[in-house]
Amino acid sequence: TLYGLGKIGFGINTSDLLDLAPNKNGVFNIKTYINGNLNYELDFKKFAFSESRYLNALIDYGYFKEHKSRIQKLFNNTNNPLSIIKNTENNGEIHLLEGEKINYKIVITDFKNNSRTITIPLEGKKQEITYPKKIEKTPYYVQAAKGFQFGDDNLSVYIPKKALYKDTYIKYETHGDTITIGNKHIPLHKSMYIHFKIDKFKTPDASKLFVASLGYNNKPYYTYCYKKNGKITAKTRSFGKYTLAIDTTPPKIKPINVLPKKWVSKNKTLQMKITDNLSGVKKYRATINGKWILMEYDYKKKKLTYHFSDNVIKTTKNNFKLIVIDNVGNNSIFEMTFFRKI
């Protein structure tokens, strides 16, 4: 028997819960019952891909950000119109009175109609909360149904209406050109906009400015941004710390399995490593003898691969050229000649 009092809710962690893939482990339906009466239902069979972002409100998002494990909430306390949420009583919440005894049941079914049932006896009795939820109150309380603007002309943030799943306090702090907005435990359904005034930057390198999110040890990561009317605007769906950064270093290009002026007749591929340690690679273009070639990009390994089976090469002596451009426009060019039997 579990003891509790007042309004309570349950969460559950199951195999492949949010994969939405039709495999043998996929969960397709979850129902909860109170004393035999249907209390809450999630039916993944009719999930629409366009609703994917709403899954953030279906899980304990803060727990997921900390532990990389999804706990499925068996109640709905947010602005969540997901079509997979079917029958609900009190939004799936349990209202337990002093001395009241109820039987709570969870039924989980997969796509082959195999099911597992968990039965939990509950009794209304006041208990000390082991891990009380901390609500950090700030001067900024944002209502999900309304848009909200922070800051001034030099540095500001705009959160559009329905970007949040529920009303919440938002942290907002600035230090020079660095801003801290919200925290990583709060999901955003829509993008927010962070505006930095940059007309004060008059150096030739000002064109290389970008907005960076600051990660562990304040490591900067490029955030999608654009410049207009003397401002640079970042568009992001993640709360956190952001700042202005500048990147004047072009990407690096290094051959992996071929060297200039060498024969590569036995090679099945031509591979190049491309890296950019700040704003990141935006695009690239490769040619052999002036003709465009398809090079597949492995983002994790920072590797470009061309397959000679494409049959672009028609001569023994070949000129290879690769142009790589980063997110602020720095570019590098790599050229070499190689030989291959035809």
Side-chain angles (χ1 to χ4, degrees):
T1 300
L2 293 180
Y3 299 98
L5 194 63
K7 186 167 63 176
I8 63 175
F10 279 83
I12 190 169
N13 181 285
T14 70
S15 172
D16 290 336
L17 181 61
L18 294 177
D19 284 354
L20 304 176
N23 54 46
K24 64 181 180 180
N25 298 316
V27 173
F28 265 36
N29 186 274
I30 302 175
K31 291 186 178 77
T32 68
Y33 299 84
I34 295 178
N35 295 332
N37 297 315
L38 185 62
N39 176 247
Y40 195 67
E41 181 181 2
L42 296 171
D43 188 1
F44 291 91
K45 296 175 185 176
K46 298 181 179 179
F47 176 79
F49 182 77
S50 60
E51 299 177 313
S52 298
R53 192 71 185 176
Y54 281 110
L55 293 175
N56 285 333
L58 205 63
I59 63 174
D60 185 331
Y61 188 81
Y63 186 89
F64 170 69
K65 295 298 286 186
E66 287 291 336
H67 304 283
K68 305 304 178 186
S69 176
R70 293 181 175 91
I71 294 179
Q72 165 67 60
K73 294 189 295 186
L74 300 180
F75 57 91
N76 178 26
N77 64 342
T78 61
N79 169 36
N80 194 344
L82 268 171
S83 60
I84 64 174
I85 301 175
K86 298 300 181 184
N87 305 296
T88 67
E89 182 72 25
N90 294 322
N91 289 322
E93 298 166 350
I94 303 164
H95 296 176
L96 196 57
L97 303 176
E98 181 75 42
E100 183 181 17
K101 294 182 179 181
I102 66 173
N103 189 57
Y104 183 72
K105 184 169 66 174
I106 306 168
V107 180
I108 306 165
T109 307
D110 68 13
F111 87 110
K112 286 188 175 180
N113 213 32
N114 301 308
S115 65
R116 175 164 292 185
T117 300
I118 303 170
T119 301
I120 308 169
L122 300 174
E123 184 174 338
K125 183 178 179 181
K126 190 173 183 179
Q127 298 284 297
E128 182 178 350
I129 299 176
T130 307
Y131 302 104
K133 185 176 182 179
K134 295 180 180 179
I135 299 177
E136 183 182 357
K137 293 187 177 181
T138 74
Y140 308 99
Y141 187 71
V142 181
Q143 298 180 44
K146 298 180 180 179
F148 201 91
Q149 181 88 27
F150 304 84
D152 52 34
D153 189 53
N154 288 315
L155 178 54
S156 64
V157 177
Y158 176 67
I159 300 176
K161 65 179 181 180
K162 296 185 179 180
L164 292 166
Y165 293 107
K166 61 181 180 180
D167 302 349
T168 186
Y169 288 99
I170 294 294
K171 182 178 182 181
Y172 174 76
E173 296 177 352
T174 60
H175 299 282
D177 289 323
T178 299
I179 180 173
T180 301
I181 180 74
N183 68 66
K184 65 180 181 179
H185 293 162
I186 302 173
L188 276 168
H189 185 70
K190 295 181 180 179
S191 295
M192 65 175 178
Y193 298 84
I194 307 174
H195 308 281
F196 293 84
K197 192 173 183 179
I198 58 171
D199 55 5
K200 58 186 177 183
F201 295 94
K202 302 298 183 182
T203 66
D205 293 334
S207 62
K208 307 301 183 182
L209 282 170
F210 68 97
V211 178
S213 64
L214 297 178
Y216 182 70
N217 284 338
N218 284 330
K219 182 179 180 180
Y221 294 91
Y222 177 83
T223 299
Y224 171 76
C225 54
Y226 55 89
K227 299 180 180 75
K228 186 177 181 181
N229 299 328
K231 290 186 176 182
I232 186 169
T233 298
K235 182 180 179 182
T236 176
R237 288 198 290 199
S238 297
F239 283 128
K241 185 184 289 187
Y242 293 85
T243 193
L244 284 179
I246 193 165
D247 181 5
T248 59
T249 304
K252 294 181 179 180
I253 303 173
K254 182 179 179 181
I256 296 177
N257 66 342
V258 62
L259 292 174
K261 298 182 180 179
K262 298 294 182 180
W263 286 85
V264 293
S265 300
K266 295 182 179 180
N267 288 29
K268 292 183 178 180
T269 62
L270 186 156
Q271 296 180 330
M272 310 293 293
K273 185 172 184 178
I274 59 173
T275 57
D276 189 272
N277 291 330
L278 198 49
S279 66
V281 173
K282 182 179 182 180
K283 57 184 178 180
Y284 58 89
R285 187 177 191 273
T287 60
I288 292 180
N289 302 327
K291 185 175 182 180
W292 177 84
I293 60 171
L294 173 65
M295 296 199 80
E296 299 171 358
Y297 185 36
D298 185 327
Y299 175 79
K300 290 184 177 180
K301 295 181 179 180
K302 310 298 182 185
K303 183 172 66 175
L304 287 173
T305 301
Y306 166 70
H307 295 271
F308 285 114
S309 59
D310 284 355
N311 293 323
V312 169
I313 295 174
K314 304 298 181 183
T315 59
T316 301
K317 183 179 179 181
N318 298 278
N319 298 310
F320 172 78
K321 183 177 182 179
L322 173 63
I323 303 172
V324 181
I325 305 172
D326 67 17
N327 278 294
V328 296
N330 298 307
N331 71 85
S332 293
I333 300 175
F334 178 87
E335 295 184 80
M336 71 173 180
T337 299
F338 67 88
F339 301 90
R340 185 176 175 86
K341 292 181 180 180
I342 57 172

